[in-house]
PDB file of all heavy atoms in Angstrom:
ATOM      1  N   LEU O 142       9.764   9.447  -7.367  1.00  0.00           N
ATOM      2  CA  LEU O 142      10.731   8.949  -8.355  1.00  0.00           C
ATOM      3  C   LEU O 142      11.206  10.161  -9.234  1.00  0.00           C
ATOM      4  O   LEU O 142      10.272  10.692  -9.999  1.00  0.00           O
ATOM      5  CB  LEU O 142      10.216   7.791  -9.213  1.00  0.00           C
ATOM      6  CG  LEU O 142      11.186   7.128 -10.228  1.00  0.00           C
ATOM      7  CD1 LEU O 142      12.368   6.520  -9.425  1.00  0.00           C
ATOM      8  CD2 LEU O 142      10.513   5.963 -10.887  1.00  0.00           C
ATOM      9  N   ASP O 143      12.374  10.482  -9.232  1.00  0.00           N
ATOM     10  CA  ASP O 143      12.915  11.557 -10.075  1.00  0.00           C
ATOM     11  C   ASP O 143      13.412  11.024 -11.435  1.00  0.00           C
ATOM     12  O   ASP O 143      14.350  10.105 -11.400  1.00  0.00           O
ATOM     13  CB  ASP O 143      14.122  12.317  -9.393  1.00  0.00           C
ATOM     14  CG  ASP O 143      14.478  13.553 -10.104  1.00  0.00           C
ATOM     15  OD1 ASP O 143      14.189  13.713 -11.297  1.00  0.00           O
ATOM     16  OD2 ASP O 143      15.017  14.474  -9.362  1.00  0.00           O
ATOM     17  N   ILE O 144      12.927  11.246 -12.537  1.00  0.00           N
ATOM     18  CA  ILE O 144      13.098  10.756 -13.842  1.00  0.00           C
ATOM     19  C   ILE O 144      14.536  10.983 -14.293  1.00  0.00           C
ATOM     20  O   ILE O 144      15.153  10.212 -14.907  1.00  0.00           O
ATOM     21  CB  ILE O 144      12.120  11.192 -14.844  1.00  0.00           C
ATOM     22  CG1 ILE O 144      12.092  10.211 -16.081  1.00  0.00           C
ATOM     23  CG2 ILE O 144      12.505  12.573 -15.356  1.00  0.00           C
ATOM     24  CD1 ILE O 144      11.528   8.920 -15.717  1.00  0.00           C
ATOM     25  N   THR O 145      15.156  12.191 -13.782  1.00  0.00           N
ATOM     26  CA  THR O 145      16.550  12.463 -14.093  1.00  0.00           C
ATOM     27  C   THR O 145      17.531  11.401 -13.606  1.00  0.00           C
ATOM     28  O   THR O 145      18.544  11.110 -14.113  1.00  0.00           O
ATOM     29  CB  THR O 145      16.845  13.891 -13.660  1.00  0.00           C
ATOM     30  OG1 THR O 145      16.635  13.949 -12.262  1.00  0.00           O
ATOM     31  CG2 THR O 145      16.116  14.893 -14.237  1.00  0.00           C
ATOM     32  N   ASP O 146      17.101  10.888 -12.364  1.00  0.00           N
ATOM     33  CA  ASP O 146      17.970   9.862 -11.728  1.00  0.00           C
ATOM     34  C   ASP O 146      17.877   8.522 -12.565  1.00  0.00           C
ATOM     35  O   ASP O 146      18.819   7.863 -12.826  1.00  0.00           O
ATOM     36  CB  ASP O 146      17.501   9.468 -10.230  1.00  0.00           C
ATOM     37  CG  ASP O 146      17.909  10.593  -9.387  1.00  0.00           C
ATOM     38  OD1 ASP O 146      18.840  11.377  -9.672  1.00  0.00           O
ATOM     39  OD2 ASP O 146      17.252  10.817  -8.305  1.00  0.00           O
ATOM     40  N   LEU O 147      16.621   8.372 -13.075  1.00  0.00           N
ATOM     41  CA  LEU O 147      16.376   7.025 -13.829  1.00  0.00           C
ATOM     42  C   LEU O 147      17.129   7.147 -15.131  1.00  0.00           C
ATOM     43  O   LEU O 147      17.670   5.992 -15.758  1.00  0.00           O
ATOM     44  CB  LEU O 147      14.852   6.944 -14.037  1.00  0.00           C
ATOM     45  CG  LEU O 147      14.465   5.542 -14.615  1.00  0.00           C
ATOM     46  CD1 LEU O 147      14.837   4.382 -13.524  1.00  0.00           C
ATOM     47  CD2 LEU O 147      12.923   5.579 -14.672  1.00  0.00           C
ATOM     48  N   LYS O 148      17.279   8.281 -15.792  1.00  0.00           N
ATOM     49  CA  LYS O 148      17.982   8.487 -17.092  1.00  0.00           C
ATOM     50  C   LYS O 148      19.423   8.025 -16.889  1.00  0.00           C
ATOM     51  O   LYS O 148      20.156   7.602 -17.848  1.00  0.00           O
ATOM     52  CB  LYS O 148      17.861   9.920 -17.591  1.00  0.00           C
ATOM     53  CG  LYS O 148      16.473  10.320 -18.079  1.00  0.00           C
ATOM     54  CD  LYS O 148      16.531  11.748 -18.552  1.00  0.00           C
ATOM     55  CE  LYS O 148      15.023  12.145 -18.953  1.00  0.00           C
ATOM     56  NZ  LYS O 148      15.017  13.598 -19.321  1.00  0.00           N
ATOM     57  N   LYS O 149      20.014   8.275 -15.843  1.00  0.00           N
ATOM     58  CA  LYS O 149      21.386   7.810 -15.583  1.00  0.00           C
ATOM     59  C   LYS O 149      21.568   6.358 -15.641  1.00  0.00           C
ATOM     60  O   LYS O 149      22.606   5.901 -16.153  1.00  0.00           O
ATOM     61  CB  LYS O 149      21.854   8.252 -14.122  1.00  0.00           C
ATOM     62  CG  LYS O 149      21.868   9.750 -13.789  1.00  0.00           C
ATOM     63  CD  LYS O 149      22.307   9.979 -12.356  1.00  0.00           C
ATOM     64  CE  LYS O 149      22.109  11.422 -11.922  1.00  0.00           C
ATOM     65  NZ  LYS O 149      22.318  11.484 -10.447  1.00  0.00           N
ATOM     66  N   VAL O 150      20.489   5.481 -15.341  1.00  0.00           N
ATOM     67  CA  VAL O 150      20.667   4.173 -15.273  1.00  0.00           C
ATOM     68  C   VAL O 150      20.618   3.542 -16.840  1.00  0.00           C
ATOM     69  O   VAL O 150      21.485   2.708 -17.130  1.00  0.00           O
ATOM     70  CB  VAL O 150      19.533   3.489 -14.560  1.00  0.00           C
ATOM     71  CG1 VAL O 150      19.591   2.006 -14.555  1.00  0.00           C
ATOM     72  CG2 VAL O 150      19.479   4.039 -13.072  1.00  0.00           C
ATOM     73  N   GLY O 151      19.621   3.941 -17.552  1.00  0.00           N
ATOM     74  CA  GLY O 151      19.598   3.678 -19.008  1.00  0.00           C
ATOM     75  C   GLY O 151      19.360   2.028 -19.257  1.00  0.00           C
ATOM     76  O   GLY O 151      18.278   1.564 -18.799  1.00  0.00           O
ATOM     77  N   PRO O 153      20.295  -0.983 -18.121  1.00  0.00           N
ATOM     78  CA  PRO O 153      19.859  -1.901 -17.191  1.00  0.00           C
ATOM     79  C   PRO O 153      18.396  -1.890 -16.709  1.00  0.00           C
ATOM     80  O   PRO O 153      17.827  -2.824 -16.424  1.00  0.00           O
ATOM     81  CB  PRO O 153      20.756  -1.654 -15.971  1.00  0.00           C
ATOM     82  CG  PRO O 153      21.909  -0.980 -16.614  1.00  0.00           C
ATOM     83  CD  PRO O 153      21.413  -0.190 -17.701  1.00  0.00           C
ATOM     84  N   ALA O 154      17.930  -0.572 -16.663  1.00  0.00           N
ATOM     85  CA  ALA O 154      16.424  -0.372 -16.317  1.00  0.00           C
ATOM     86  C   ALA O 154      15.545  -1.112 -17.265  1.00  0.00           C
ATOM     87  O   ALA O 154      14.468  -1.600 -16.930  1.00  0.00           O
ATOM     88  CB  ALA O 154      16.138   1.107 -16.298  1.00  0.00           C
ATOM     89  N   MET O 203      12.119   0.555  -1.363  1.00  0.00           N
ATOM     90  CA  MET O 203      13.003   1.299  -2.253  1.00  0.00           C
ATOM     91  C   MET O 203      12.750   2.788  -1.980  1.00  0.00           C
ATOM     92  O   MET O 203      13.702   3.632  -2.019  1.00  0.00           O
ATOM     93  CB  MET O 203      12.687   1.030  -3.830  1.00  0.00           C
ATOM     94  CG  MET O 203      13.142  -0.280  -4.181  1.00  0.00           C
ATOM     95  SD  MET O 203      14.855  -0.802  -3.890  1.00  0.00           S
ATOM     96  CE  MET O 203      14.561  -2.097  -2.570  1.00  0.00           C
ATOM     97  N   ILE O 206      14.653   3.649   1.202  1.00  0.00           N
ATOM     98  CA  ILE O 206      16.210   3.574   0.782  1.00  0.00           C
ATOM     99  C   ILE O 206      16.479   4.920   0.174  1.00  0.00           C
ATOM    100  O   ILE O 206      17.536   5.523   0.591  1.00  0.00           O
ATOM    101  CB  ILE O 206      16.580   2.404   0.105  1.00  0.00           C
ATOM    102  CG1 ILE O 206      16.440   1.098   0.869  1.00  0.00           C
ATOM    103  CG2 ILE O 206      17.964   2.547  -0.512  1.00  0.00           C
ATOM    104  CD1 ILE O 206      16.516  -0.188   0.131  1.00  0.00           C
ATOM    105  N   MET O 207      15.571   5.381  -0.793  1.00  0.00           N
ATOM    106  CA  MET O 207      15.899   6.620  -1.427  1.00  0.00           C
ATOM    107  C   MET O 207      15.823   7.811  -0.462  1.00  0.00           C
ATOM    108  O   MET O 207      16.657   8.637  -0.555  1.00  0.00           O
ATOM    109  CB  MET O 207      14.799   6.809  -2.626  1.00  0.00           C
ATOM    110  CG  MET O 207      14.956   5.987  -3.819  1.00  0.00           C
ATOM    111  SD  MET O 207      13.471   5.759  -4.832  1.00  0.00           S
ATOM    112  CE  MET O 207      12.983   7.588  -5.093  1.00  0.00           C
ATOM    113  N   GLY O 210      18.942   8.040   1.432  1.00  0.00           N
ATOM    114  CA  GLY O 210      20.119   8.348   0.642  1.00  0.00           C
ATOM    115  C   GLY O 210      21.018   7.261   0.234  1.00  0.00           C
ATOM    116  O   GLY O 210      22.115   7.530  -0.232  1.00  0.00           O
ATOM    117  N   TYR O 211      20.550   6.114   0.380  1.00  0.00           N
ATOM    118  CA  TYR O 211      21.456   4.905   0.037  1.00  0.00           C
ATOM    119  C   TYR O 211      21.276   4.620  -1.444  1.00  0.00           C
ATOM    120  O   TYR O 211      20.205   4.538  -1.940  1.00  0.00           O
ATOM    121  CB  TYR O 211      21.084   3.697   0.986  1.00  0.00           C
ATOM    122  CG  TYR O 211      21.604   3.763   2.338  1.00  0.00           C
ATOM    123  CD1 TYR O 211      20.787   4.320   3.306  1.00  0.00           C
ATOM    124  CD2 TYR O 211      22.896   3.234   2.693  1.00  0.00           C
ATOM    125  CE1 TYR O 211      21.271   4.319   4.633  1.00  0.00           C
ATOM    126  CE2 TYR O 211      23.300   3.306   3.884  1.00  0.00           C
ATOM    127  CZ  TYR O 211      22.508   3.844   4.926  1.00  0.00           C
ATOM    128  OH  TYR O 211      22.947   3.912   6.253  1.00  0.00           O
ATOM    129  N   GLY O 212      22.492   4.360  -2.103  1.00  0.00           N
ATOM    130  CA  GLY O 212      22.401   4.092  -3.521  1.00  0.00           C
ATOM    131  C   GLY O 212      21.985   5.126  -4.399  1.00  0.00           C
ATOM    132  O   GLY O 212      21.752   4.868  -5.628  1.00  0.00           O
ATOM    133  N   LYS O 213      21.892   6.310  -3.947  1.00  0.00           N
ATOM    134  CA  LYS O 213      21.346   7.475  -4.617  1.00  0.00           C
ATOM    135  C   LYS O 213      22.235   7.904  -5.838  1.00  0.00           C
ATOM    136  O   LYS O 213      21.815   8.129  -7.010  1.00  0.00           O
ATOM    137  CB  LYS O 213      21.107   8.690  -3.767  1.00  0.00           C
ATOM    138  CG  LYS O 213      20.481   9.770  -4.375  1.00  0.00           C
ATOM    139  CD  LYS O 213      20.239  10.903  -3.271  1.00  0.00           C
ATOM    140  CE  LYS O 213      19.394  12.149  -3.946  1.00  0.00           C
ATOM    141  NZ  LYS O 213      19.354  13.149  -2.942  1.00  0.00           N
ATOM    142  N   GLU O 214      23.597   7.898  -5.639  1.00  0.00           N
ATOM    143  CA  GLU O 214      24.526   8.346  -6.645  1.00  0.00           C
ATOM    144  C   GLU O 214      24.383   7.398  -7.867  1.00  0.00           C
ATOM    145  O   GLU O 214      24.429   7.946  -9.056  1.00  0.00           O
ATOM    146  CB  GLU O 214      25.935   8.368  -6.103  1.00  0.00           C
ATOM    147  CG  GLU O 214      26.922   8.925  -7.002  1.00  0.00           C
ATOM    148  CD  GLU O 214      28.339   8.783  -6.467  1.00  0.00           C
ATOM    149  OE1 GLU O 214      28.422   8.818  -5.305  1.00  0.00           O
ATOM    150  OE2 GLU O 214      29.291   8.709  -7.337  1.00  0.00           O
ATOM    151  N   LYS O 215      24.208   6.246  -7.777  1.00  0.00           N
ATOM    152  CA  LYS O 215      24.120   5.242  -8.947  1.00  0.00           C
ATOM    153  C   LYS O 215      22.710   4.990  -9.332  1.00  0.00           C
ATOM    154  O   LYS O 215      22.421   4.087 -10.099  1.00  0.00           O
ATOM    155  CB  LYS O 215      24.903   4.033  -8.765  1.00  0.00           C
ATOM    156  CG  LYS O 215      26.371   4.311  -8.566  1.00  0.00           C
ATOM    157  CD  LYS O 215      27.188   3.068  -8.325  1.00  0.00           C
ATOM    158  CE  LYS O 215      28.686   3.341  -8.167  1.00  0.00           C
ATOM    159  NZ  LYS O 215      29.421   2.063  -7.799  1.00  0.00           N
ATOM    160  N   SER O 216      21.671   5.633  -8.608  1.00  0.00           N
ATOM    161  CA  SER O 216      20.297   5.437  -8.894  1.00  0.00           C
ATOM    162  C   SER O 216      19.808   3.983  -8.794  1.00  0.00           C
ATOM    163  O   SER O 216      18.963   3.453  -9.567  1.00  0.00           O
ATOM    164  CB  SER O 216      19.904   6.020 -10.245  1.00  0.00           C
ATOM    165  OG  SER O 216      20.307   7.289 -10.469  1.00  0.00           O
ATOM    166  N   ILE O 217      20.318   3.337  -7.812  1.00  0.00           N
ATOM    167  CA  ILE O 217      19.858   1.847  -7.678  1.00  0.00           C
ATOM    168  C   ILE O 217      18.438   1.566  -7.358  1.00  0.00           C
ATOM    169  O   ILE O 217      17.790   0.774  -7.778  1.00  0.00           O
ATOM    170  CB  ILE O 217      20.954   1.211  -6.617  1.00  0.00           C
ATOM    171  CG1 ILE O 217      22.371   1.119  -7.290  1.00  0.00           C
ATOM    172  CG2 ILE O 217      20.490  -0.275  -6.368  1.00  0.00           C
ATOM    173  CD1 ILE O 217      23.327   0.831  -6.367  1.00  0.00           C
ATOM    174  N   PRO O 218      17.898   2.315  -6.178  1.00  0.00           N
ATOM    175  CA  PRO O 218      16.553   2.172  -5.942  1.00  0.00           C
ATOM    176  C   PRO O 218      15.613   2.520  -7.029  1.00  0.00           C
ATOM    177  O   PRO O 218      14.708   1.791  -7.337  1.00  0.00           O
ATOM    178  CB  PRO O 218      16.367   3.080  -4.738  1.00  0.00           C
ATOM    179  CG  PRO O 218      17.678   3.261  -4.158  1.00  0.00           C
ATOM    180  CD  PRO O 218      18.590   3.341  -5.319  1.00  0.00           C
ATOM    181  N   GLN O 219      15.940   3.624  -7.809  1.00  0.00           N
ATOM    182  CA  GLN O 219      15.192   4.035  -8.910  1.00  0.00           C
ATOM    183  C   GLN O 219      15.106   2.869  -9.973  1.00  0.00           C
ATOM    184  O   GLN O 219      14.121   2.643 -10.613  1.00  0.00           O
ATOM    185  CB  GLN O 219      15.700   5.346  -9.562  1.00  0.00           C
ATOM    186  CG  GLN O 219      15.475   6.516  -8.704  1.00  0.00           C
ATOM    187  CD  GLN O 219      16.694   6.750  -7.562  1.00  0.00           C
ATOM    188  OE1 GLN O 219      17.348   5.771  -7.280  1.00  0.00           O
ATOM    189  NE2 GLN O 219      16.939   7.984  -7.218  1.00  0.00           N
ATOM    190  N   LEU O 220      16.362   2.277 -10.270  1.00  0.00           N
ATOM    191  CA  LEU O 220      16.395   1.179 -11.143  1.00  0.00           C
ATOM    192  C   LEU O 220      15.402   0.080 -10.925  1.00  0.00           C
ATOM    193  O   LEU O 220      14.648  -0.424 -11.741  1.00  0.00           O
ATOM    194  CB  LEU O 220      17.774   0.698 -11.223  1.00  0.00           C
ATOM    195  CG  LEU O 220      18.151  -0.676 -11.831  1.00  0.00           C
ATOM    196  CD1 LEU O 220      17.899  -0.723 -13.291  1.00  0.00           C
ATOM    197  CD2 LEU O 220      19.483  -1.134 -11.477  1.00  0.00           C
ATOM    198  N   ILE O 221      15.380  -0.344  -9.671  1.00  0.00           N
ATOM    199  CA  ILE O 221      14.531  -1.450  -9.234  1.00  0.00           C
ATOM    200  C   ILE O 221      13.061  -1.093  -9.281  1.00  0.00           C
ATOM    201  O   ILE O 221      12.264  -1.955  -9.597  1.00  0.00           O
ATOM    202  CB  ILE O 221      15.008  -1.819  -7.801  1.00  0.00           C
ATOM    203  CG1 ILE O 221      16.462  -2.485  -7.829  1.00  0.00           C
ATOM    204  CG2 ILE O 221      14.007  -2.917  -7.168  1.00  0.00           C
ATOM    205  CD1 ILE O 221      17.051  -2.684  -6.535  1.00  0.00           C
ATOM    206  N   LEU O 222      12.834   0.121  -8.741  1.00  0.00           N
ATOM    207  CA  LEU O 222      11.405   0.644  -8.878  1.00  0.00           C
ATOM    208  C   LEU O 222      10.882   0.546 -10.382  1.00  0.00           C
ATOM    209  O   LEU O 222       9.778   0.109 -10.506  1.00  0.00           O
ATOM    210  CB  LEU O 222      11.290   2.212  -8.392  1.00  0.00           C
ATOM    211  CG  LEU O 222      11.086   2.354  -6.928  1.00  0.00           C
ATOM    212  CD1 LEU O 222      11.083   3.809  -6.653  1.00  0.00           C
ATOM    213  CD2 LEU O 222       9.847   1.727  -6.396  1.00  0.00           C
ATOM    214  N   ALA O 223      11.510   1.133 -11.212  1.00  0.00           N
ATOM    215  CA  ALA O 223      11.184   1.166 -12.655  1.00  0.00           C
ATOM    216  C   ALA O 223      11.026  -0.254 -13.202  1.00  0.00           C
ATOM    217  O   ALA O 223      10.044  -0.603 -13.938  1.00  0.00           O
ATOM    218  CB  ALA O 223      12.146   1.992 -13.478  1.00  0.00           C
ATOM    219  N   GLY O 224      11.953  -1.113 -13.033  1.00  0.00           N
ATOM    220  CA  GLY O 224      11.985  -2.478 -13.482  1.00  0.00           C
ATOM    221  C   GLY O 224      10.683  -3.221 -12.929  1.00  0.00           C
ATOM    222  O   GLY O 224      10.132  -3.877 -13.706  1.00  0.00           O
ATOM    223  N   MET O 390      23.071  -6.379 -15.054  1.00  0.00           N
ATOM    224  CA  MET O 390      24.013  -5.445 -14.279  1.00  0.00           C
ATOM    225  C   MET O 390      25.418  -5.462 -15.073  1.00  0.00           C
ATOM    226  O   MET O 390      26.251  -4.638 -14.643  1.00  0.00           O
ATOM    227  CB  MET O 390      24.130  -5.845 -12.894  1.00  0.00           C
ATOM    228  CG  MET O 390      22.972  -5.712 -12.096  1.00  0.00           C
ATOM    229  SD  MET O 390      22.225  -4.235 -11.949  1.00  0.00           S
ATOM    230  CE  MET O 390      20.630  -4.402 -12.795  1.00  0.00           C
ATOM    231  N   ASN O 394      28.475   0.432 -13.829  1.00  0.00           N
ATOM    232  CA  ASN O 394      29.401   0.893 -12.847  1.00  0.00           C
ATOM    233  C   ASN O 394      29.158   0.350 -11.493  1.00  0.00           C
ATOM    234  O   ASN O 394      29.743   0.845 -10.394  1.00  0.00           O
ATOM    235  CB  ASN O 394      29.513   2.512 -12.870  1.00  0.00           C
ATOM    236  CG  ASN O 394      28.230   3.115 -12.474  1.00  0.00           C
ATOM    237  OD1 ASN O 394      27.146   2.424 -12.404  1.00  0.00           O
ATOM    238  ND2 ASN O 394      28.309   4.461 -12.142  1.00  0.00           N
ATOM    239  N   LEU O 395      28.280  -0.474 -11.287  1.00  0.00           N
ATOM    240  CA  LEU O 395      27.858  -1.155  -9.943  1.00  0.00           C
ATOM    241  C   LEU O 395      28.980  -2.140  -9.601  1.00  0.00           C
ATOM    242  O   LEU O 395      29.383  -2.880 -10.353  1.00  0.00           O
ATOM    243  CB  LEU O 395      26.512  -1.784  -9.980  1.00  0.00           C
ATOM    244  CG  LEU O 395      25.278  -0.938  -9.885  1.00  0.00           C
ATOM    245  CD1 LEU O 395      25.046   0.105 -10.825  1.00  0.00           C
ATOM    246  CD2 LEU O 395      24.036  -1.750  -9.722  1.00  0.00           C
ATOM    247  N   GLU O 399      26.643  -3.934  -4.798  1.00  0.00           N
ATOM    248  CA  GLU O 399      25.515  -3.227  -5.321  1.00  0.00           C
ATOM    249  C   GLU O 399      24.692  -4.272  -6.357  1.00  0.00           C
ATOM    250  O   GLU O 399      23.515  -4.297  -6.195  1.00  0.00           O
ATOM    251  CB  GLU O 399      25.888  -2.016  -5.975  1.00  0.00           C
ATOM    252  CG  GLU O 399      26.378  -0.952  -5.030  1.00  0.00           C
ATOM    253  CD  GLU O 399      27.126   0.167  -5.785  1.00  0.00           C
ATOM    254  OE1 GLU O 399      27.634   0.056  -6.719  1.00  0.00           O
ATOM    255  OE2 GLU O 399      27.214   1.213  -5.105  1.00  0.00           O
ATOM    256  N   PHE O 402      22.730  -6.677  -4.159  1.00  0.00           N
ATOM    257  CA  PHE O 402      21.529  -5.959  -3.616  1.00  0.00           C
ATOM    258  C   PHE O 402      20.441  -6.166  -4.601  1.00  0.00           C
ATOM    259  O   PHE O 402      19.273  -6.265  -4.288  1.00  0.00           O
ATOM    260  CB  PHE O 402      21.868  -4.602  -3.219  1.00  0.00           C
ATOM    261  CG  PHE O 402      20.646  -3.777  -2.803  1.00  0.00           C
ATOM    262  CD1 PHE O 402      20.165  -3.947  -1.457  1.00  0.00           C
ATOM    263  CD2 PHE O 402      19.975  -2.959  -3.619  1.00  0.00           C
ATOM    264  CE1 PHE O 402      18.937  -3.365  -1.023  1.00  0.00           C
ATOM    265  CE2 PHE O 402      18.833  -2.250  -3.324  1.00  0.00           C
ATOM    266  CZ  PHE O 402      18.302  -2.528  -2.047  1.00  0.00           C
ATOM    267  N   CYS O 403      20.786  -5.716  -5.830  1.00  0.00           N
ATOM    268  CA  CYS O 403      19.814  -5.794  -6.925  1.00  0.00           C
ATOM    269  C   CYS O 403      19.188  -7.147  -6.947  1.00  0.00           C
ATOM    270  O   CYS O 403      18.018  -7.365  -7.276  1.00  0.00           O
ATOM    271  CB  CYS O 403      20.285  -5.259  -8.301  1.00  0.00           C
ATOM    272  SG  CYS O 403      20.795  -3.627  -8.333  1.00  0.00           S
ATOM    273  N   LEU O 459      24.871  -0.903   0.013  1.00  0.00           N
ATOM    274  CA  LEU O 459      24.896   0.334  -0.673  1.00  0.00           C
ATOM    275  C   LEU O 459      25.649   1.473  -0.098  1.00  0.00           C
ATOM    276  O   LEU O 459      25.670   1.496   1.193  1.00  0.00           O
ATOM    277  CB  LEU O 459      23.348   0.859  -0.883  1.00  0.00           C
ATOM    278  CG  LEU O 459      22.466  -0.197  -1.683  1.00  0.00           C
ATOM    279  CD1 LEU O 459      21.052   0.228  -1.724  1.00  0.00           C
ATOM    280  CD2 LEU O 459      22.926  -0.563  -2.911  1.00  0.00           C
ATOM    281  N   VAL O 460      26.106   2.431  -0.836  1.00  0.00           N
ATOM    282  CA  VAL O 460      26.802   3.543  -0.236  1.00  0.00           C
ATOM    283  C   VAL O 460      25.720   4.654   0.059  1.00  0.00           C
ATOM    284  O   VAL O 460      24.893   4.875  -0.770  1.00  0.00           O
ATOM    285  CB  VAL O 460      27.912   4.104  -1.282  1.00  0.00           C
ATOM    286  CG1 VAL O 460      28.466   5.370  -0.769  1.00  0.00           C
ATOM    287  CG2 VAL O 460      28.846   3.007  -1.524  1.00  0.00           C
ATOM    288  N   ASN O 462      24.659   8.421   0.364  1.00  0.00           N
ATOM    289  CA  ASN O 462      25.096   9.776  -0.255  1.00  0.00           C
ATOM    290  C   ASN O 462      24.526  10.832   0.657  1.00  0.00           C
ATOM    291  O   ASN O 462      23.203  10.751   0.848  1.00  0.00           O
ATOM    292  CB  ASN O 462      24.703   9.920  -1.642  1.00  0.00           C
ATOM    293  CG  ASN O 462      25.157   8.782  -2.412  1.00  0.00           C
ATOM    294  OD1 ASN O 462      24.500   7.887  -2.921  1.00  0.00           O
ATOM    295  ND2 ASN O 462      26.523   8.788  -2.783  1.00  0.00           N
TER     296      ASN O 462
END
Side-chain angles (χ1 to χ4, degrees):
L142 188 58
D143 193 336
I144 201 71
T145 53
D146 290 335
L147 197 56
K148 286 177 183 176
K149 297 177 191 174
V150 182
M203 292 308 111
I206 290 169
M207 284 161 55
Y211 285 91
K213 188 177 179 182
E214 186 179 334
K215 297 180 183 178
S216 305
I217 294 168
Q219 292 89 331
L220 160 68
I221 294 165
L222 271 180
M390 301 297 113
N394 62 345
L395 273 62
E399 291 163 339
F402 174 80
C403 293
L459 301 179
V460 177
N462 305 106

